[in-house]
């Protein structure tokens, strides 16, 4: 479980058990079914061909002596189940979007959510534009990158507790809003 699979699983469980509307995860088109099954099952050969362990060494290129300090085992048949579940959880948002964003009302709702989210996101963005990237330090007590990575021209870019700056969200919502009929 990671930061991608946990929200996907949470949304799926909420829609399955807490909402009145029925969730249709299986696509209606045969081509879409074959593509989804192909994406999920493509993990099997990937697991079966990744059997090499990852070796952590103190001194690299000191052949013939290897100064190994630790190793991660390669993947095996027992990993197929977890990788298949991860593939399914990766596909869940796309299948849900196909169901809920296929109508004009669904598209209008996602556009409204992007605009509102962009407006909310603009508050910490404006704070970081003025005070340089500081929210991470204020909230978590450290900054996960080098400060030079945030420099943009004469000023600094905003990160707002993300890995790197995410200003594309606001510009995407603004462009979508302009193109409405």
């Amino acid at each position: 479980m990671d930061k991608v699979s946990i929200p996907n699983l949470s949304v799926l469980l909420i829609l399955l058990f807490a909402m009145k509307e029925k969730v249709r995860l299986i696509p209606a088109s045969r081509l879409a079914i074959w593509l989804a099954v192909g994406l999920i099952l493509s993990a099997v050969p990937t697991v079966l061909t990744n059997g090499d362990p990852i070796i952590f060494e103190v001194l690299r290129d000191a052949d013939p002596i290897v100064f190994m300090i630790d190793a991660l085992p390669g993947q095996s048949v027992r990993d197929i189940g977890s990788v298949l579940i991860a593939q399914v959880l990766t596909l869940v948002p796309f299948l849900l979007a196909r169901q809920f964003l296929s109508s004009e009302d669904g598209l209008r709702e996602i556009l409204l959510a992007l605009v509102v989210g962009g407006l909310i996101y603009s508050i910490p963005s404006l704070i970081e534009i003025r005070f340089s990237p500081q929210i991470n330090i204020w909230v978590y007590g450290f900054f996960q990158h080098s400060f030079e990575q945030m420099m943009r021209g004469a000023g600094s870019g905003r990160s707002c507790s993300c890995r790197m700056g995410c200003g594309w969200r606001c510009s995407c919502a603004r462009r979508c809003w302009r193109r409405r009929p």
Side-chain angles (χ1 to χ4, degrees), residues 82-172:
S82 64
V83 173
L84 288 177
I85 291 170
Q87 287 288 91
V88 169
L89 288 177
T90 301
L91 196 58
V92 163
F94 298 103
L95 297 174
L96 291 176
R98 178 191 54 81
Q99 178 179 349
F100 293 110
L101 300 179
S102 61
S103 68
E104 189 174 321
D105 289 336
L107 292 174
R108 187 171 285 114
E109 286 180 20
I110 192 69
L111 178 63
L112 180 64
L114 284 172
V115 169
V116 170
L119 289 173
I120 293 170
Y121 185 78
S122 68
I123 295 168
S125 294
L126 291 172
I127 291 171
E128 286 209 343
I129 288 171
R130 177 65 181 105
F131 297 111
S132 73
Q134 295 295 320
I135 291 179
N136 232 352
I137 296 171
W138 295 341
V139 174
Y140 302 111
F142 72 97
F143 192 65
Q144 72 265 33
H145 297 290
S146 170
F147 189 76
E148 290 84 24
Q149 289 180 326
M150 295 293 121
M151 297 307 292
R152 306 284 189 266
S156 62
R158 58 198 180 278
S159 67
C160 296
S161 295
C162 295
R163 277 209 243 156
M164 298 301 260
C166 297
W168 58 269
R169 294 176 184 160
C170 298
S171 65
C172 175

Side-chain angles (χ1 to χ4, degrees), residues 52-105:
D52 296 334
I54 298 174
I55 298 173
F56 300 100
E57 300 176 23
V58 176
L59 297 172
R60 290 193 177 164
D61 302 325
D63 293 331
I65 302 171
V66 177
F67 296 100
M68 188 174 91
I69 58 170
D70 202 2
L72 293 175
Q75 292 184 324
S76 64
V77 176
R78 67 180 178 169
D79 296 317
I80 291 176
S82 64
V83 173
L84 288 177
I85 291 170
Q87 287 288 91
V88 169
L89 288 177
T90 301
L91 196 58
V92 163
F94 298 103
L95 297 174
L96 291 176
R98 178 191 54 81
Q99 178 179 349
F100 293 110
L101 300 179
S102 61
S103 68
E104 189 174 321
D105 289 336

